[in-house]
């Protein structure tokens, strides 16, 4: 899956014909034409026609050999969000399956949330719930994110960092959990480029410097292994395995190692025809070179939860350098590259379904997402718990019968018990680890054999178990137990707590607890009735403060608007002379008004040349902001906008501007930055700098400038300094 290749529609169809029937190809062509018409006259940030993006997304899905419904979903994934097309129209034109996939990847853009974080969390929640019903939803989303990361350079630096961080936190780990390494590695490497460019390019440079030496070494190893395998008549494909930049970076950071201390920079991969051949090759490798203690892993006998199988060993190679060897069958290699997508792959128009029961069993952890989301009524809490369960480091433990179970790092015997069955968890009274009694808060380690001790006379879980357990599955099952045990008591307790919180907001409960308002809130939190809502508050499934805040939001907004209007009318009239003087200092004219106090906002420090907007404040006249300032972008803020403009004569006036400069932390960098600013005859009022362990320097300076042209000259001069990566204007 080459990063740089831009696939054309004709290329895509040519690849699709290699494994899809003519009828299936006609179906995806129809989806393309529908998307092309829907996105007509729309363009991306890069200036390209928008339809280029759906073509690339569908192209990635074709590379994964996905079925025609998924490819059609790739073409149509943005039409509901970005055009007037509805899900009903897609279902009518294609089928319910395509509409369901498109719905799963469509953001909740038309619903208002209290913050961007809450909206993003709700988007993730919706996507995870949809993919728990049909895993193909996430395959489309991963293809969408992969192409967006390939074109990230067209976004502003701040958005680049946000997207890259979200990719590292959510999408790359998810690709790993699904075993799709071909997408995972590219997502991680691209994200690193924007999150830590200094380290990214440093590793690239170090890799280039040793490329010839590395390639000749690998060729020597391949030649030796090939000769050995020919003697015992094993047919194998042997190749050098490329090391990915992000994994090198992670080892350097987590293990505090230098580049030349990373063991698996030198690596080969051996592909054979059978499992028997895998172990025969392992024997040959260990005969040729001495294995390093503790560096052998058998993922064939004990596959990872993401379906991955392979033998890994590290040996002392021909020249005394550590050499990593991966050995697997060709079928295992397909799973290693494409993971779950390999099970959805089409060949000759038929979906592979060789081991459906085993496949479904390996994905039981994913099906449990539906259960978790039903019990977690706050989207941000849901996503945080999901990160812990799906994306944290894992431990592999054994049942007494020898079955392997995978749990998040930090899990305790109770997590193990609830993973087996709810009743076993509820009746747990103790646990034996490796034959020895251990407390229930014992942290499980790789290789532990766990025997859960239960009793039918157990009184059930303790409230403390919610704090002890690590997995969301266990926590939710414990909460369910208490929810069922004391429902009536919890309803009464929950109602009292909510009413108390409403009074604390200086609002009478009867004013907020109307039938219509309660219905709006309990449906918002996915409850069936108001009793379910109160019960959840009673057993601490949701906080009373959050419910009270949502119940009173409209009342408080109405009161605030009335108060703002009163304060604005009171404070708008100020002393004429003082106002006149302030207008002169600010250099800004308020159209049609003579007697308002005018000041430049310190959050965005506007300067002549910036597009500006006036904002009526409470009792303090008008504050002037840059048009792109986040503080004046809300719907409520827009209601208080005023038209303002710069005075024509700005001679001798100076304005504060904050700049952030990032670059490689070398000796003399700060002095060169200050010297560059001084050369432009610009005053500096504040300087602050820091560096991190990755040798990335961040310098903040505040300067006095006359206008945006003056600022542009300063920024261009700083950019000319060696090892400076970015210069950005910041908000306070």
């Amino acid at each position: 899956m080459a990063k740089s290749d831009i696939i054309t529609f004709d290329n895509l169809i040519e690849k699709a014909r290699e494994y899809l029937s003519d009828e299936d190809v006609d179906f995806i062509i129809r989806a393309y034409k529908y998307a092309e018409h829907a996105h007509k006259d729309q363009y991306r940030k890069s200036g390209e026609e928008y339809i280029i993006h759906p073509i690339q997304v569908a192209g990635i899905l074709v590379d994964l050999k996905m079925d025609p419904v998924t490819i059609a979903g790739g073409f149509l994934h943005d039409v509901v969000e970005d055009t007037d097309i509805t899900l009903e129209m897609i279902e009518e034109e294609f089928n319910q399956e395509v509409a369901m996939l498109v719905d799963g990847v469509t953001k909740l853009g038309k619903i208002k949330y209290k913050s961007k974080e809450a909206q993003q969390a709700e988007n993730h929640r919706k996507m995870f719930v949809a993919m728990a019903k049909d895993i193909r939803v996430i395959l489309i989303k991963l293809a969408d994110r992969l192409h967006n990361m390939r074109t990230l350079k067209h976004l502003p630096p701040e958005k680049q960092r946000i997207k890259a961080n979200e990719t590292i936190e959510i999408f790359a780990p998810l690709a790993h959990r699904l075993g799709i390494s071909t997408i995972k590695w590219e997502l991680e490497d691209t994200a690193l480029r924007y999150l830590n460019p200094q380290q990214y390019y440093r590793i690239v440079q170090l890799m280039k410097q040793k490329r010839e030496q590395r390639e000749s070494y690998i060729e020597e190893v391949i030649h030796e292994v090939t000769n050995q395998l020919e003697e015992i008549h094993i047919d194998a494909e042997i190749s050098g395995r490329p090391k990915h930049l992000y994994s090198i970076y992670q080892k350097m950071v987590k293990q505090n190692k230098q580049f030349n201390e990373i063991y698996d920079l030198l690596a080969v991969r051996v592909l054979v025809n059978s499992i028997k051949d895998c172990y025969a090759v392992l024997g040959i490798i260990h005969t040729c070179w001495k294995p390093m203690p503790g560096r052998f892993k058998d993922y064939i006998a004990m596959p990872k939860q993401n379906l991955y199988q392979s033998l890994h060993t590290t040996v002392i190679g021909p020249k005394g350098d550590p050499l990593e060897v991966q050995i697997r069958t060709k079928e295992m290699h397909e799973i290693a590259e494409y993971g779950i997508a390999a099970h959805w792959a089409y060949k000759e128009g038929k979906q592979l379904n060789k081991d459906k029961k085993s496949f479904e069993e390996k994905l039981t952890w994913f099906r449990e997402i539906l259960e978790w989301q039903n019990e977690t009524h706050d989207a941000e809490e849901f996503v945080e718990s999901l990160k812990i369960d799906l994306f944290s480091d894992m431990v592999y433990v054994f049942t007494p019968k020898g079955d392997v179970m995978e749990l998040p790092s930090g899990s305790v015997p109770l997590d193990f018990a609830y993973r087996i069955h709810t009743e076993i968890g509820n009746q747990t009274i103790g646990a034996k680890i490796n034959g020895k009694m251990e407390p229930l808060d014992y942290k499980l380690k790789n290789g532990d054999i766990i025997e859960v001790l239960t009793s039918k006379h157990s009184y059930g879980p303790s409230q403390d178990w919610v704090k002890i357990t690590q997995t969301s599955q266990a926590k939710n099952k414990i909460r369910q137990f208490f929810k069922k045990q004391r429902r009536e008591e919890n309803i009464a307790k929950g109602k009292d707590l909510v009413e108390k919180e409403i009074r604390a907001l200086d609002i009478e409960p009867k004013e907020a607890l109307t039938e219509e308002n309660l219905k709006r809130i309990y449906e918002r939190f996915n409850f069936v009735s108001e009793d379910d809502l109160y019960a959840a508050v009673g057993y601490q499934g949701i906080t009373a403060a959050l419910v009270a805040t949502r119940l009173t939001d409209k009342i408080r907004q109405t009161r605030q608007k009335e108060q703002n209007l009163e304060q604005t009318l009171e404070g708008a009239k100020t002393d004429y002379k003082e106002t006149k003087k302030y207008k002169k200092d600010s250099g800004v004219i308020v159209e049609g008004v003579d007697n308002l106090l005018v000041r430049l906002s310190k959050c965005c420090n506007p300067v002549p040349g910036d597009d500006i907007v006036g904002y009526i404040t409470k009792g303090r006249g008008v504050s002037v902001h840059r048009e792109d300032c986040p503080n004046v972008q809300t719907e409520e803020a827009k209601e208080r906008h005023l038209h303002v403009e710069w005075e024509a004569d700005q001679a001798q006036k100076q304005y504060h501007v904050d700049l952030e400069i990032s670059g490689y932390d070398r000796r003399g960098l700060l002095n060169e930055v200050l010297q560059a600013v001084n050369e432009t005859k610009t005053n500096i009022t504040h300087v602050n700098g820091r560096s991190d362990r990755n040798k990335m320097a961040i310098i903040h300076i505040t300067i006095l400038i006359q206008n945006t042209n003056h600022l542009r000259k300063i920024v261009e001069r700083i950019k000319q300094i060696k090892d400076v990566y970015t210069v950005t204007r910041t908000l306070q």
Side-chain angles (χ1 to χ4, degrees):
M1 196 176 292
K3 301 183 195 182
S4 55
D5 293 348
I6 301 296
I7 191 169
T8 66
F9 177 68
D10 291 339
N11 295 146
L12 184 153
I13 294 301
E14 188 179 335
K15 286 185 180 180
R17 289 193 189 280
E18 293 175 6
Y19 72 97
L20 291 178
S21 66
D22 290 342
E23 184 181 352
D24 290 336
V25 171
D26 290 342
F27 182 77
I28 66 174
I29 289 174
R30 189 153 60 87
Y32 161 72
K33 290 181 177 177
Y34 193 87
E36 184 182 37
H37 182 265
H39 290 298
K40 187 179 179 182
D41 299 326
Q42 290 184 344
Y43 296 87
R44 303 195 84 211
K45 296 284 186 185
S46 61
E48 297 173 316
E49 290 184 357
Y50 195 91
I51 191 62
I52 295 290
H53 173 61
I55 291 173
Q56 304 315 301
V57 171
I60 292 167
L61 295 170
V62 168
D63 283 340
L64 294 173
K65 289 188 165 49
M66 295 306 297
D67 62 293
V69 169
T70 309
I71 297 167
F75 277 125
L76 300 166
H77 74 278
D78 273 339
V79 296
V80 172
E81 185 179 340
D82 295 337
T83 75
D84 294 331
I85 302 296
T86 64
L87 285 170
E88 290 73 20
M89 293 164 70
I90 290 178
E91 184 174 343
E92 186 178 340
E93 181 68 27
F94 298 95
N95 56 47
Q96 186 179 4
E97 208 174 354
V98 173
M100 185 274 296
L101 294 181
V102 173
D103 184 38
V105 292
T106 299
K107 293 177 186 173
L108 308 173
K110 296 179 182 177
I111 302 175
K112 293 181 182 178
Y113 294 92
K114 63 180 179 181
S115 67
K116 286 184 179 179
E117 290 76 16
Q119 181 167 358
Q120 192 74 314
E122 197 63 63
N123 285 332
H124 289 149
R125 177 186 183 126
K126 177 176 185 257
M127 178 183 69
F128 284 123
V129 171
M131 74 185 185
K133 296 175 184 174
D134 193 321
I135 207 72
R136 292 173 295 176
V137 169
I138 196 56
L139 296 176
I140 296 173
K141 188 63 186 175
L142 285 173
D144 172 51
R145 177 50 60 108
L146 181 59
H147 182 246
N148 282 335
M149 291 301 290
R150 289 174 178 175
T151 56
L152 203 58
K153 63 183 179 183
H154 300 292
L155 293 183
E158 186 57 32
K159 287 193 175 181
Q160 288 176 349
R161 285 192 290 270
I162 291 170
K163 285 279 185 190
N165 195 58
E166 184 186 31
T167 298
I168 285 291
E169 283 193 353
I170 299 285
F171 293 101
L174 187 56
H176 171 67
R177 240 1 201 120
L178 299 175
I180 314 174
S181 63
T182 185
I183 288 180
K184 175 213 173 191
W185 291 122
E186 188 178 340
L187 288 176
E188 287 183 335
D189 287 356
T190 312
L192 177 62
R193 178 181 166 191
Y194 293 98
L195 288 175
N196 197 332
Q198 184 264 332
Q199 284 289 60
Y200 174 87
Y201 288 111
R202 177 169 171 255
I203 294 170
V204 168
Q205 194 61 35
L206 289 168
M207 293 281 282
K208 283 181 181 177
Q209 289 171 5
K210 296 193 174 183
R211 178 175 291 170
E212 288 185 16
Q213 175 187 343
R214 196 166 59 247
E215 287 177 352
S216 65
Y217 182 90
I218 293 294
E219 283 176 16
E220 184 181 341
V221 170
I222 290 174
H223 180 72
E224 175 68 23
V225 174
T226 302
N227 289 341
Q228 294 284 343
L229 294 182
E230 283 177 354
E231 290 182 16
I232 58 173
H233 308 293
I234 289 181
D235 181 31
E237 294 177 17
I238 309 171
S239 60
R241 183 178 68 84
K243 189 63 190 170
H244 298 280
L245 303 177
Y246 186 74
S247 63
I248 296 173
Y249 169 75
Q250 283 288 86
K251 286 191 167 100
M252 290 170 70
V253 172
K254 286 187 177 179
Q255 300 173 18
N256 197 24
K257 290 184 176 181
Q258 294 301 313
F259 181 81
N260 55 8
E261 295 179 293
I262 307 296
Y263 281 143
D264 46 1
L265 282 174
L266 298 169
V268 296
R269 180 179 289 139
V270 184
L271 303 182
V272 293
N273 295 319
S274 69
I275 292 176
K276 180 181 75 173
D277 289 346
C278 289
Y279 289 99
V281 171
L282 178 69
I284 292 291
I285 298 293
H286 283 181
T287 302
C288 291
W289 300 291
K290 187 175 181 179
M292 292 179 66
R295 298 285 298 172
F296 170 64
K297 293 173 184 173
D298 188 344
Y299 294 120
I300 293 179
M302 293 193 303
K304 290 186 179 183
Q305 196 80 355
N306 64 6
L307 318 177
Y308 179 88
Q309 288 184 287
S310 186
L311 296 177
H312 290 194
T313 186
T314 302
V315 297
I316 303 299
K319 296 178 182 177
D321 293 320
L323 170 73
E324 187 189 75
V325 183
Q326 293 181 353
I327 309 162
R328 62 181 73 141
T329 66
K330 291 170 184 175
E331 186 177 350
M332 288 174 190
H333 182 60
E334 185 179 357
I335 298 294
E337 291 292 298
Y338 302 114
I340 204 170
H343 287 267
W344 277 101
Y346 263 51
K347 289 188 179 175
E348 297 176 0
K350 293 184 180 180
Q351 186 177 332
L352 293 180
N353 199 19
K354 288 184 282 186
D355 195 5
K356 184 175 181 181
K357 185 178 178 184
S358 171
F359 172 60
E360 290 293 327
E361 285 174 358
K362 288 174 180 175
L363 285 175
T364 51
W365 59 270
F366 214 76
R367 305 301 170 193
E368 289 165 354
I369 289 176
L370 277 177
E371 180 184 343
W372 301 343
Q373 79 93 21
N374 284 334
E375 291 301 317
T376 307
H377 301 285
D378 183 85
E380 291 174 84
E381 180 190 341
F382 169 77
V383 173
E384 284 307 310
S385 64
L386 197 70
K387 286 180 188 177
I388 293 170
D389 279 14
L390 301 188
F391 309 144
S392 61
D393 292 334
M394 310 304 287
V395 291
Y396 297 88
V397 295
F398 294 91
T399 67
K401 293 183 179 179
D403 296 327
V404 181
M405 189 170 290
E406 186 184 52
L407 291 165
S409 180
S411 292
V412 299
L414 288 169
D415 292 299
F416 177 87
Y418 278 104
R419 181 62 63 89
I420 295 171
H421 196 277
T422 303
E423 285 308 306
I424 290 177
N426 287 341
Q427 294 175 8
T428 296
I429 58 171
K432 283 185 178 181
I433 312 295
N434 305 322
K436 178 185 173 185
M437 287 296 297
E438 295 287 358
L440 291 177
D441 61 354
Y442 168 89
K443 302 291 183 187
L444 300 178
K445 300 179 182 66
N446 279 322
D448 281 346
I449 301 171
I450 307 167
E451 180 185 354
V452 177
L453 307 178
T454 61
S455 170
K456 290 183 180 179
H457 304 294
S458 165
Y459 289 106
S462 160
Q463 286 278 13
D464 291 338
W465 287 11
V466 176
K467 298 174 186 175
I468 295 172
T469 49
Q470 174 76 4
T471 62
S472 296
Q473 180 191 19
K475 291 179 188 293
N476 286 326
K477 286 180 176 178
I478 294 164
R479 289 188 182 117
Q480 279 180 353
F481 177 86
F482 290 108
K483 173 184 174 183
K484 291 173 183 174
Q485 288 293 95
R486 299 195 290 268
R487 178 172 170 80
E488 293 303 320
E489 180 185 333
N490 283 328
I491 291 173
K493 180 182 176 183
K495 189 170 184 179
D496 286 343
L497 288 170
V498 170
E499 289 182 357
K500 183 179 178 182
E501 290 291 341
I502 292 173
R503 288 192 185 96
L505 295 169
D506 199 24
I507 296 171
E508 277 299 310
K510 65 180 181 181
E511 190 179 351
L513 298 177
T514 63
E515 186 177 339
E516 182 185 353
N517 203 24
L518 278 166
K519 188 173 188 294
R520 175 176 69 90
I521 299 307
Y522 71 65
E523 288 180 350
R524 166 70 181 82
F525 287 115
N526 297 322
F527 291 109
V528 177
S529 67
E530 63 183 81
D531 280 353
D532 289 342
L533 175 65
Y534 287 136
V537 174
Y539 65 76
Q540 298 177 349
I542 187 172
T543 66
L546 178 59
V547 173
T549 301
R550 297 291 170 87
L551 281 166
T552 59
D553 54 4
K554 291 187 176 180
I555 298 170
R556 288 182 291 109
Q557 284 172 13
T558 302
R559 288 186 181 180
Q560 188 64 48
K561 283 182 180 178
E562 291 172 355
Q563 187 180 353
N564 288 345
L565 184 59
E566 289 175 12
Q567 290 180 342
T568 301
L569 293 173
E570 293 272 340
K573 297 180 180 180
T574 70
D575 182 76
Y576 179 77
K577 291 180 181 177
E578 184 184 353
T579 304
K580 204 166 184 181
K581 178 184 174 186
Y582 223 96
K583 278 173 61 180
K584 184 179 178 185
D585 288 345
S586 67
V588 172
I589 300 171
V590 181
E591 186 178 309
V593 181
D594 289 331
N595 61 339
L596 280 181
L597 183 67
V598 179
R599 63 186 181 85
L600 299 180
S601 173
K602 290 183 179 179
C603 63
C604 56
N605 285 333
V607 299
D610 286 334
D611 293 328
I612 53 176
V613 64
Y615 176 77
I616 302 174
T617 61
K618 301 172 186 177
R620 295 164 63 193
V622 175
S623 64
V624 179
H625 294 255
R626 283 167 32 197
E627 275 194 353
D628 60 353
C629 178
N631 291 331
V632 290
Q633 296 302 315
T634 64
E635 290 303 318
E636 184 181 350
K638 287 177 181 177
E639 293 177 5
R640 294 158 68 182
H641 280 189
L642 277 179
H643 179 78
V644 294
E645 58 187 40
W646 295 105
E647 286 183 351
D649 182 15
Q650 294 290 341
Q652 306 305 316
K653 289 190 178 72
Q654 290 189 316
Y655 300 84
H656 286 87
V657 167
D658 297 309
L659 295 179
E660 179 182 285
I661 300 142
S662 67
Y664 176 62
D665 183 22
R666 59 169 172 81
R667 184 177 296 175
L669 179 65
L670 177 59
N671 286 337
E672 289 184 32
V673 169
L674 298 179
Q675 185 179 346
V677 176
N678 285 329
E679 285 173 3
T680 63
K681 297 181 180 179
T682 301
N683 290 329
I684 301 173
T685 63
H686 179 76
V687 179
N688 185 290
R690 60 181 171 83
S691 65
D692 58 25
R693 61 182 177 181
N694 296 320
K695 301 290 286 181
M696 174 71 90
I698 304 293
I699 301 169
H700 290 100
I701 65 171
T702 303
I703 56 178
L704 288 172
I705 66 158
Q706 295 173 354
N707 50 43
T708 50
N709 288 334
H710 184 187
L711 176 62
R712 194 174 300 112
K713 289 176 184 176
I714 297 167
V715 170
E716 290 303 322
R717 178 64 188 87
I718 296 173
K719 281 184 176 180
Q720 292 170 12
I721 299 171
K722 182 185 175 185
D723 293 325
V724 167
Y725 299 133
T726 61
V727 182
T728 54
R729 187 172 167 188
T730 60
L731 302 176
Q732 288 188 354

